[in-house]
Structures are given as C-alpha cells and as structure tokens.
Amino acid sequence: MNMMKPTVSAGRSTIIACANVHARYGRITVVSDVTLDVAAGEMIAILGANGAGKSSLLGAIAGTVAGSGRIEVNGQAINSLPSHKRAVMGLSLVPEQRRNVFAAMSVKENIDLGLRLLPIAEREDQRDFIMGLFPILRERQSAGAGMLSGGEQQMLAISLALGRKPDVMIFDEPTQGLAPAVFDTLQHAFDVLKKRGLAMILAEQNVPFAARVADRYMILSQGSVVREGPGLDLANPEDIAAVFLGSK
Ligand code: ATP
C-alpha cells in the first residue's frame, strides 16, 4: 500500500532487502547472518529440513521473532519497527497452518477484516481481485471459515494477507497438510501476484512444489545458508542433499 520506491540494482527493482539477519529465542540464536533480496515479480524459496530455521527467519523478517540485521522495504528500513508497523510498510506474512483465519466468521467477513486498513475507496477493487484469484471463495463467501477445506482455508489465509495490498508477501509452508489438487491453484495465484509486481518469500519443505513456483532458492541448515542459486535442480543429488542433509 506504499508508494513504490524500489532500489534499482543491476536492472532489477529490489522491493525487500535483508542484510545479516539473525533470529533468536532468548539467548539462543537459531538463524545467523542471512542476506537476501527479492525483486518485484520474483519469488525466493527458503528450503531446509525440520528445524533448519525457516520459520524463525521469516519471523525475524516480519518482526514476530526477535532478531537483528537490516531489513528494507521499498528502500526504507523497517527492522526497528514492531510487526504491525512492518505490515503497514507493505510486508504481509501468511503464517504456518492458516493461523490467521477466523473460524467463527464467514469467508466474506474474514476477507473484509483483511481489507479494513485499506482506504474505503480501494476496498471493493481489492475484494474483487481477491475473489477473482480464488473464485471458490466468492462461491462460498457466506460459509463459516471453519467449514472450509484445508486448501480453501489456505486460500482465505492468503486473501487476508492480501487485504492491505502488500508489496511483499511471506508464506510459511503454504502446502503443509494440503492435497496436491490445491497446488495448481496456489501456483496460479503466485503467478498472478508475480505479474502484479509483488516480491515473495516462500518457506517450504515440499521441494518439488518450491521448484515449480520459485525463481531462486536458498537452503538453510542449522540456521545458516548452505547453498543458494537461481534454480533448484531436482535431478541433481547435490541440490537435494543440501536441502535434506544440509551439505554444502
Ligand atoms: P519446520 O519446518 O519444522 O517448521 P523450520 O525450518 O521452520 O522447521 P524453525 O521452526 O525456525 O525451523 O526452528 C529453528 C530452531 O529454533 C529449532 O532448533 C527449533 O527447535 C527452535 N525454535 C523454534 N521455535 C522456538 C521457540 N518458540 N522457542 C525456542 N526455540 C524455538
């Protein structure tokens, strides 16, 4: 929802730039020294085994986990802001397990809750955009969110996060527990959001799905980056070993 003020480097418009990010719980540091940036229309996948630090890294970027490092969105430093102010600066997190869906409210009420911080004049267009992205939510708009399937709840969680027209979206394992039938819908949604110029960060354990949707990847092991690059090669045993074993 901010005016776009991207930093242009090497012909790409960087929307989010993170430098030397650490994440910690109390005195225990679980993510160390991660540097990444994501351009408009681009998605980076953060891969790694259970406990590698993916969620903690996303939390440090979104401000829900304690951390340090410099984080800029549209050229403005956001790292000293609390999470709700980072959201106002254009950064939206879709947490693990659809935790931000309000089960007792209808689908439409959930979507309207996501839109509440948008100027009133922009809400209808954004609601149409969201329901166009996920037509099943338009069909089911008066259903209780708690009655939706897991895939529909994931769509609703993404819709909530889209409400304030973010410039950056962060997804924490969106395919977790979902039937493969939903993957095509998510892939289509990511393609549309890329065309809109959003910068996206995706944490995933589902490597084949990440390889389908992401433009670049970064592999974490024990909180550190062990490998990064433009495309994951599922036929390359070294790439796969890096994801699951943390080998360099
Ligand atoms: P998963 O795919 O299982 O979610 P992950 O790659 O997202 O794993 P994190 O959940 O970020 O990994 O965990 C990184 C490390 O931080 C692990 O050692 C984990 O035990 C620890 N950790 C996670 N949450 C907390 C917490 N609330 N308090 C203390 N330690 C935590």
Side-chain angles (χ1 to χ4, degrees), residues 6 79-80 116 193:
N79 41 277
S80 54
R116 75 196 182 284
L193 297 177

Side-chain angles (χ1 to χ4, degrees), residues 25 30-31 48-57 96 172-173 205 220:
Y25 299 101
V30 295
V31 171
N50 261 332
K54 303 181 295 295
S55 298
S56 305
L57 171 62
E96 221 171 350
D172 197 352
E173 301 201 26
Q205 291 233 28
L220 287 184

Side-chain angles (χ1 to χ4, degrees), residues 22 25 33 77 81 85 87 96 107 120 126 135 155 175 183 215 221 224 228 239:
H22 292 65
Y25 299 101
D33 214 19
L81 302 177
K85 289 202 176 144
E96 221 171 350
V107 167
I120 290 171
Q126 188 66 358
M155 294 174 213
T175 65
F183 296 0
D215 305 291
S221 175
S224 296
E228 57 189 311
D239 276 4

